């Protein structure tokens, strides 16, 4: 367990491992006092640009100009699937599967998700994941701190990509400039279990915009159980629907969990724009899907935009 954690964090090369009878001995080559300075803060992908505050403007620019673009966020569930059988094992996958779908998944489904994630991340123009924080042995912190090292070691980061905070979807969701850009898009496609969102978005943008909704079952812990095979059949069917709808100037707002990140890449590959907005779509729909809740700025973004648009037209 400890050695796997060290591998996950990208510092296993700095320890010595030996066995003696029934014991495994692990020794740091340098003291912990030197760990933070020499090892912990190593940039595993110096060739990837850091987006910072400009990330939102980069997305808005792509939407306004119809530039093929994809943004994918990588968190706890994604990194477990990506590094399955390398840094993470069956118990890690089960933890994510129970959260997402309420039951374990077989190897074929794991491999399908893993392959889709790898393709979506390697081709994304922007990636949202946490920069390495201070050292912690807490399981979720190990996951967060492992993301950069995992992606680099799996050769999924590319020169020219932009890395930004994984909460960039919240910043986009409450940005009036982003909503204005969306309102001018050629076509808007929502990939989300929130059926009510279609009418809300269409109303916010004046009712005349071409808005499509691709429905799918929601996350187990929020929306309850659904048949697993039917759920995955729907995941696959949406791929075909995305391929039919995408094109230059078509924007996909995706909130489909770990099984739907590939829709962003499918949209981009044929000239569209795929944005992994995740729980921002829940917030817009008024569904409290995150334990900490959502800000008023986020939950009220669509209604404020609609009201301001009406006032401007008046």
């Amino acid at each position: 367990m400890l050695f796997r954690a060290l591998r996950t964090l990208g510092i296993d090369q700095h320890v010595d491992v030996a066995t003696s009878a029934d014991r495994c001995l692990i020794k740091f080559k340098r003291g912990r006092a030197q760990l933070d300075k020499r090892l912990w803060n190593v940039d595993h992908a110096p060739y990837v640009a850091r987006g910072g505050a400009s990330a939102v403007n980069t997305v808005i620019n792509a939407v306004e100009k119809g530039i093929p673009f994809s943004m994918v966020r990588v968190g706890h569930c994604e990194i477990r699937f990506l590094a399955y059988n390398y840094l993470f094992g069956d118990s890690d996958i089960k933890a994510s599967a129970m959260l997402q779908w309420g039951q374990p998944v077989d190897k074929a489904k794991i491999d399908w998700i893993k392959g889709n994630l790898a393709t979506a991340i390697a081709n994304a123009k922007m990636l949202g994941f946490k920069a390495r924080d201070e050292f912690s042995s807490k399981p979720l912190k190990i996951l967060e701190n492992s993301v950069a090292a995992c992606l680099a070691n799996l050769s999924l980061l590319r020169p020219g990509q932009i890395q930004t905070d994984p909460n960039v979807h919240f910043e986009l969701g409450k940005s009036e400039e982003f909503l204005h850009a969306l309102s001018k898009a050629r076509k808007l496609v929502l990939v989300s279990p929130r059926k009510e969102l279609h009418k809300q978005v269409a109303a916010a943008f004046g009712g005349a915009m071409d808005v499509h909704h691709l429905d799918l079952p929601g996350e187990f812990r929020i929306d309850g159980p659904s048949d697993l095979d039917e759920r995955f059949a729907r995941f696959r069917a949406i791929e075909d629907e995305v391929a039919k709808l995408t094109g230059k100037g078509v924007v996909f707002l995706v909130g489909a969990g770990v099984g739907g990140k590939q829709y962003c890449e499918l949209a981009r590959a044929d000239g569209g724009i795929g944005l992994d907005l995740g729980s921002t779509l829940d917030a817009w729909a008024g569904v409290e899907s995150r334990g900490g809740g959502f800000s008023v700025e986020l939950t009220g973004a669509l209604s404020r935009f609609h009201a301001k648009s009406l006032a401007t037209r008046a």
Side-chain angles (χ1 to χ4, degrees):
M1 174 70 77
L2 176 60
F3 187 59
R4 189 173 74 180
L6 294 172
R7 291 180 64 203
T8 302
L9 294 169
I11 58 175
D12 58 294
Q13 60 189 316
H14 303 290
V15 299
D16 288 321
V17 181
T19 57
S20 175
D22 60 346
R23 301 173 64 190
C24 179
L25 307 176
I26 300 176
K27 179 182 178 182
F28 279 95
K29 295 180 181 178
R30 300 185 180 95
R32 178 166 176 174
Q34 297 298 315
L35 177 63
D36 290 346
K37 180 180 178 182
R38 300 188 187 186
L39 309 177
W40 187 248
N41 295 321
V42 169
D43 187 349
H44 291 272
Y47 44 84
V48 173
R50 304 304 186 242
S54 66
V56 169
N57 291 333
T58 299
V59 174
I60 292 172
N61 181 65
V63 174
E64 288 178 337
K65 297 180 179 177
I67 301 170
F69 189 88
S70 63
M71 180 193 78
V72 176
R73 296 173 304 108
V74 184
H76 303 152
C77 288
E78 290 79 20
I79 208 64
R80 282 167 167 159
F81 277 91
L82 280 165
Y84 175 64
N85 274 347
Y86 173 53
L87 302 176
F88 298 105
D90 292 334
S91 62
D92 301 297
I93 294 294
K94 183 178 180 181
S96 287
M98 295 301 292
L99 179 72
Q100 294 270 319
W101 312 305
Q103 55 189 300
V105 289
D106 58 36
K107 188 176 184 301
K109 291 181 175 66
I110 295 171
D111 289 343
W112 184 78
I113 291 176
K114 182 177 179 178
N116 285 339
L117 283 171
T119 300
I121 290 168
N123 291 290
K125 298 298 183 182
M126 181 179 291
L127 293 170
F129 59 86
K130 284 198 173 182
R132 182 169 283 184
D133 205 343
E134 74 176 66
F135 184 86
S136 172
S137 60
K138 294 179 180 179
L140 288 183
K141 292 300 293 184
I142 287 176
L143 281 170
E144 289 177 1
N145 286 328
S146 74
V147 173
C150 277
L151 294 180
N153 290 338
L154 293 169
S155 301
L156 294 177
L157 299 179
R158 301 284 191 268
Q161 285 180 320
I162 300 170
Q163 180 262 324
T164 190
D165 190 273
N167 289 333
V168 64
H169 62 319
F170 294 150
E171 297 304 314
L172 287 166
K174 61 188 181 184
S175 166
E176 182 181 326
E177 292 79 10
F178 176 62
L179 294 176
H180 178 76
L182 289 181
S183 72
K184 303 300 181 183
R186 175 185 149 206
K187 184 188 300 180
L188 191 61
V189 184
L190 308 170
V191 186
S192 167
R194 309 296 163 220
K195 297 180 177 67
E196 63 273 35
L197 192 60
H198 181 273
K199 289 184 179 179
Q200 291 171 302
V201 169
F205 295 155
M209 187 177 185
D210 188 4
V211 181
H212 296 251
H213 176 230
L214 304 182
D215 188 31
L216 74 161
E219 189 175 89
F220 167 75
R221 69 183 182 89
I222 304 300
D223 300 295
S226 65
D227 182 87
L228 190 64
D229 289 332
E230 290 180 4
R231 182 187 289 268
F232 273 75
R234 183 60 187 145
F235 279 146
R236 291 181 172 89
I238 290 175
E239 293 182 342
D240 295 331
E241 294 172 34
V242 169
K244 292 176 182 177
L245 288 169
T246 193
K248 185 173 177 58
V250 180
V251 181
F252 290 77
L253 305 183
V254 180
V258 70
K261 303 283 181 170
Q262 69 273 22
Y263 307 143
C264 297
E265 166 56 17
L266 291 171
R268 184 208 64 80
D270 279 336
I273 298 164
L275 304 175
D276 175 18
L277 289 197
S279 59
T280 285
L281 302 184
D282 294 337
W284 283 353
V287 177
E288 289 284 356
S289 63
R290 293 298 175 264
F294 299 113
S295 70
V296 174
E297 290 80 9
L298 182 61
T299 57
L302 287 179
S303 58
R304 286 196 309 275
F305 182 83
H306 187 206
K308 189 167 184 177
S309 297
L310 289 176
T312 301
R313 288 197 292 269

